[in-house]
Amino acid sequence: MTKTLDVQVNAQSIAAFKKGYPLILKDVVVQPDVLKEDGTIIRLVDKYGKFIAKGYYGNQNKGVGWVLTRKDEEPIDFAFFESRMKSAFARRDLLMEDPETTAFRLFNGEGDGIGGLTIDYFDGYYVVSWYSEGIYSMKHHVYGVLDKLVEYKAIYEKKRFDGKGQYVEQDDFVKGTPGDFPIIVKENGMNFAVDLNDGAMTGIFLDQRDVRKAIRDNYAEGKNVLNTFSYTGAFSVAASLGGAVKTTSVDLAKRSLPKTIEQFSVNGIDYEQQDIKVMDVFDYFRYAKRHELKFDLVVLDPPSFARSKKHTFSTAKDYPALLQDAIAITAKKGIIVASTNNASFGMKKFKSFIEKAFSESGSTYKILEESSLPKDFRTNRDFPEFNYLKVVILQKLK
Ligand code: SAH
């Protein structure tokens, strides 16, 4: 039996919970020290003991747990997980049937009703990510529901609860028949090699699907493309398939070179016709300026935080400066794809960064397109803070 604990929350938080706000922040809990055992089912109550919502205690990088239901009588058991997972899977029916896309998000945490849990689908393989010890203590339900509802090749898991949401080093295999990685998945007809048993990252960030498609279909033809913070070069592949004349991919991780070669190769693109640079983006910008290189399309998708030998970088602070560097080497009428996954600020602030970068560069621009998470990364419209991805595609005018 799971223990249930009454937890009083402060008066200011009640209206939001009633509207459906799912995250339980530490500072709304009146006596946080009653929270002891991760995974405890908690009933949020007001100062009179009146029921507000029910959820679980799980320490995450943000918050101490998530609301799961606003019905006091609904138990948090196998049937609960089954109902939420079944609805989530049904919402992705069309994607599941699309032969051109075989990798996507199947369950998106609080957006699908269970914060702290995501499930990604890779052509018959399931990757379950756990964001707290609390939700992980309920894993038997989630794996039980997968056993019941789907036919999988294998299940892999990522534990991301070292306190900061960072991946915990482990063997990711859970059950099924282990895959022979890399496997090739499809996304809007493009191929991507993924390895689900190789640490935190799989080889592709599924949340950028719409942006890869936009680059391929609308912005790449005939262009000389620079892809910064390129990781495995997925944006470069999209650009190349969209008719780019040449791509240059820049990432300082050594593994990015073989991984990028691999992504080009599984798409039948001759990687020797492309540039793949293992170096610090900031050094590359200096190099490009010195050699007066100009690009028609620049992709800028840095991690929220990064530390290299020379730099500590945080998008919340340094994005305008980074964008200024990009503007300096973008051709007149060129396109910049400015992206960030930093959840600590919203679209408005992000646009103010863009404004600042252009005004300090003495340059002007026009926004062509804005985008955020794709549909399968379901979020609640009332609470945009959970839709962390912000992408602005813009054109440099002068
Ligand atoms: N845009 C990529 C994902 C980027 S992940 C995509 O959509 O696939 C962030 C990448 O930034 C990592 O691969 C990391 O190695 C790289 N990185 C971090 N700091 C860097 C720096 N200073 N210079 C170059 N690459 C950096």
Side-chain angles (χ1 to χ4, degrees), residues 29-98:
V29 177
V30 176
Q31 291 175 298
D33 51 331
V34 302
L35 298 169
K36 292 204 172 74
E37 201 178 324
D38 283 282
T40 305
I41 299 301
I42 54 182
R43 285 177 80 244
L44 304 183
V45 297
D46 67 12
K47 65 179 170 189
Y48 307 108
K50 201 165 148 268
F51 175 82
I52 300 160
K54 190 153 71 173
Y56 71 90
Y57 167 52
N59 246 314
Q60 244 181 265
N61 65 333
K62 214 177 159 204
V64 294
W66 293 94
V67 170
L68 297 174
T69 177
R70 277 175 287 156
K71 292 190 197 130
D72 201 5
E73 67 284 2
E74 184 174 35
I76 306 306
D77 54 7
F78 183 90
F80 169 83
F81 280 89
E82 183 178 10
S83 82
R84 299 308 189 271
M85 288 167 69
K86 214 176 194 165
S87 314
F89 296 178
R91 285 183 201 110
R92 278 85 172 172
D93 263 357
L94 281 179
L95 268 172
M96 202 46 111
E97 284 161 21
D98 177 2

Side-chain angles (χ1 to χ4, degrees), residues 205 229-231 235 251-253 255 279-282 301 303 306:
F205 286 99
F229 305 96
S230 56
Y231 181 42
F235 286 128
D251 196 295
L252 58 68
R255 55 149 206 259
M279 69 192 281
D280 194 311
V281 162
F282 298 95
D301 177 36

Side-chain angles (χ1 to χ4, degrees), residues 20 69 129 338 365:
T69 177
S129 295
Y365 66 102

